[in-house]
């Protein structure tokens, strides 16, 4: 059964999304703690990771709902957060003993505002939560196609496309997806760059969890993304400890359709340095239950081409105005489907997943 959703939860810019989030929190009487980003936004606005918490400091169960890990994908996650904050029924259900809810709005506010997937350091935040003490990952497979992925010319020449296609045919589509998307440390101007040190957003998330994640016994975390999988479908991708019991628990909470990149049934490749890998060691006392809620947009090839062009643009600030506009239009369309139908699907599934998470956090600990 589908319920009519308030599509006004969606916004046309980061600034508008932030206003709606702060407004919705204020109407609930919830305080906001803003971690201010050092750089301005695209329209000169202030950028921040905004944190709203409801519930007692000593609550055993902590529900975390985060948006904008991948900047531009925040249009979707922000709307889900605003929808929840505006929902009286949801709010009533969250007001129970032993539960606190943490809303993290725009983990990567710079990317959200400038409509890029990466941080201002050109880093994929969801590959950046890694140990930087060890040697850098070489990822020779990525190196072999780096020039084809982000070529000198845009649009890429036929030879670049053909080169990529040849690699895909030779190694298989799944293998090339993994090579491209699992994260690389060899090319700071390339795609899915994992960084060579913690980004501003990485440190901000760690600071938030130092403040809010040290006293709970259990965490249920839903991190909202877009850009992978069939249009409008919210894939429930497991993120957390890689043992059978934890994955089984995730399926009890969120259903048998929970996918796992490690099992090979997800539209995502196995990734390194994801958010959960930063949070779990930062909150070692807590049982961690994590989900990437990943909404499909356009076909994978279209999304990848939009990312390639956007990266080319970042490397070529001298690009003509018209070309810049076209590239920015395409990347926005690749991560934010501005139709009523898609928005309705996003909110509907968002509510379902959050309700399931709430239920999971009400089950006996360790079950
Ligand atoms: Zn994402």
């Amino acid at each position: 059964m589908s319920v009519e959703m308030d599509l006004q939860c969606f916004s046309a810019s980061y600034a508008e999304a932030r206003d709606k989030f702060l407004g919705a929190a204020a109407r609930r009487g919830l305080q906001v703690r803003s971690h201010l980003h050092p750089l301005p936004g695209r329209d000169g606005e202030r950028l921040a990771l905004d944190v709203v918490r409801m519930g007692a400091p000593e609550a055993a169960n902590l529900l975390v709902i985060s948006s904008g890990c991948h900047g531009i994908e925040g249009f979707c996650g922000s709307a889900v957060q605003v929808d929840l904050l505006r929902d009286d029924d949801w709010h009533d259900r969250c007001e129970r003993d032993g539960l606190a809810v943490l809303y993290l709005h725009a983990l990567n506010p710079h990317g959200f505002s400038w409509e890029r997937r990466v941080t201002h350091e050109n880093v994929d935040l969801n590959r950046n939560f890694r140990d930087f003490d060890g040697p850098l990952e070489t990822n020779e497979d990525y190196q072999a196609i780096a020039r084809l992925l982000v070529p000198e010319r845009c649009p890429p020449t036929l030879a670049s496309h053909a080169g990529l296609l040849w690699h895909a045919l030779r190694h298989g589509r799944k293998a090339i997806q993994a090579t491209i998307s699992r994260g690389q440390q060899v090319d700071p101007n390339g795609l899915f760059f994992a960084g060579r040190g913690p980004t501003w957003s990485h440190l901000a998330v760690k600071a938030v969890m130092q403040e809010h994640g040290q006293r709970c016994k259990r965490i249920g975390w839903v991190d909202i993304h877009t850009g992978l999988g069939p249009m409008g479908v919210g894939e429930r991708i497991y993120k957390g400890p890689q043992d059978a019991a934890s994955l089984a628990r995730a399926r009890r909470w969120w259903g048998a359709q929970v996918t796992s990149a490690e099992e090979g049934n997800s539209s995502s490749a196995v990734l390194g340095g994801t958010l959960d890998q930063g949070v779990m060691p930062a909150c070692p006392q807590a049982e961690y239950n994590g989900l990437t809620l990943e909404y499909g947009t356009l076909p994978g090839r279209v999304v990848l081409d939009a990312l390639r062009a956007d990266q080319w643009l970042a490397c070529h600030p001298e690009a003509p105005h018209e070309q810049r506009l076209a590239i920015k239009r395409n990347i926005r369309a690749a991560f934010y489907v501005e139709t009523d139908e898609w928005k309705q699907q996003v909110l509907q599934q968002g509510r379902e997943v959050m309700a399931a998470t709430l239920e999971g956090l009400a089950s006996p600990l360790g079950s």
Side-chain angles (χ1 to χ4, degrees):
M1 189 187 67
S2 117
V3 183
E4 224 26 63
M5 299 287 172
D6 176 15
L7 303 185
Q8 299 307 314
C9 296
F10 288 86
S11 299
S13 67
Y14 163 76
E16 187 187 340
R18 184 173 190 228
D19 270 0
K20 285 182 178 173
F21 179 76
L22 298 182
R27 275 190 292 280
R28 290 269 167 227
L30 297 169
Q31 291 211 328
V32 181
R33 162 105 156 79
S34 299
H35 295 252
L36 297 180
H37 192 280
L39 297 173
R42 186 192 61 185
D43 304 318
E45 78 277 26
R46 176 159 272 191
L47 301 178
L49 162 55
D50 292 304
V51 181
V52 165
R53 180 185 174 117
M54 62 173 283
E58 69 281 359
N61 295 291
L62 182 65
L63 167 56
V64 187
I65 303 164
S66 55
S67 68
C69 178
H70 285 141
I72 189 168
E73 301 175 18
F75 285 108
C76 171
S78 171
V80 172
Q81 292 174 320
V82 170
D83 177 52
L84 293 171
L85 278 170
R86 287 178 179 176
D87 181 356
D88 291 338
D89 180 50
W90 165 258
H91 194 255
D92 288 348
R93 282 186 284 151
C94 289
E95 271 191 340
R96 67 179 193 218
D97 284 345
L99 177 75
V101 184
L102 200 58
Y103 298 89
L104 307 184
H105 187 265
L107 299 182
N108 165 16
H110 191 272
F112 193 165
S113 172
W114 291 86
E115 301 189 6
R116 297 205 69 206
R117 190 173 165 281
V118 289
T119 66
H120 73 276
E121 301 100 333
N122 195 50
V123 167
D124 181 331
L125 179 58
N126 212 27
R127 311 289 183 274
N128 185 240
F129 291 94
R130 58 181 68 218
D131 178 9
F132 292 101
D133 294 337
L136 297 180
E137 240 187 74
T138 51
N139 197 343
E140 280 155 16
D141 298 339
Y142 181 90
Q143 221 154 5
I145 56 170
R147 280 276 166 115
L148 301 172
L149 271 178
V150 187
E152 269 305 303
R153 292 182 43 191
C154 187
T157 60
L158 216 52
S160 303
H161 284 310
L164 276 186
L165 189 64
W166 184 80
H167 271 270
L169 289 173
R170 186 157 166 243
H171 301 286
R173 196 185 58 80
K174 274 273 178 196
I176 197 169
Q177 184 195 350
T179 295
I180 295 171
S181 70
R182 76 164 189 260
Q184 54 88 11
Q185 292 182 293
V186 292
D187 183 5
N189 293 312
L191 290 178
F192 301 92
F193 177 52
R196 292 171 182 166
T199 56
W200 177 88
S201 290
H202 173 147
L203 297 174
V205 169
K206 287 271 177 74
V208 169
M209 294 321 288
Q210 274 307 316
E211 190 181 345
H212 293 284
Q214 302 307 304
R215 296 173 71 180
C216 59
K217 295 195 171 72
R218 176 164 58 179
I219 295 173
W221 192 310
V222 181
D223 188 38
I224 304 164
H225 289 249
T226 63
L228 264 185
M231 168 82 80
V233 175
E235 182 182 339
R236 304 173 182 193
I237 308 173
Y238 174 67
K239 287 285 164 207
Q242 290 304 321
D243 61 84
S246 298
L247 179 57
R249 186 169 56 235
R251 291 196 167 120
R252 283 199 297 279
W253 283 29
W254 291 299
Q257 75 265 47
V258 167
T259 60
S260 154
E262 286 72 15
E263 278 187 345
N265 47 33
S266 170
S267 60
S268 168
V270 176
L271 312 173
T274 49
L275 177 63
D276 56 300
Q277 292 171 23
V279 174
M280 288 190 287
C283 311
Q285 85 294 347
E287 176 197 289
Y288 189 86
N289 304 273
L291 201 66
T292 294
L293 179 54
E294 175 78 59
Y295 290 99
T297 52
L298 301 179
R301 185 61 213 240
V302 179
V303 174
L304 179 62
D305 282 347
L307 284 171
R308 293 168 72 199
D310 190 59
Q311 189 56 44
W312 176 87
L313 183 62
C315 301
H316 293 86
E318 76 288 356
H321 183 64
E322 283 305 313
Q323 188 179 17
R324 165 176 294 274
L325 291 182
I327 289 172
K328 294 317 290 185
R329 234 185 349 260
N330 286 345
I331 187 132
R332 181 165 164 137
F335 291 98
Y336 184 24
V337 182
E338 296 180 75
T339 65
D340 287 358
E341 190 187 359
W342 189 82
K343 291 175 177 177
Q344 177 87 18
Q345 288 173 306
V346 162
L347 297 185
Q348 176 84 39
Q349 293 168 85
R351 285 187 179 197
E352 286 164 13
V353 166
M354 299 314 161
T357 315
L358 210 54
E359 232 173 274
L361 287 170
S363 64
L365 188 63
S367 64

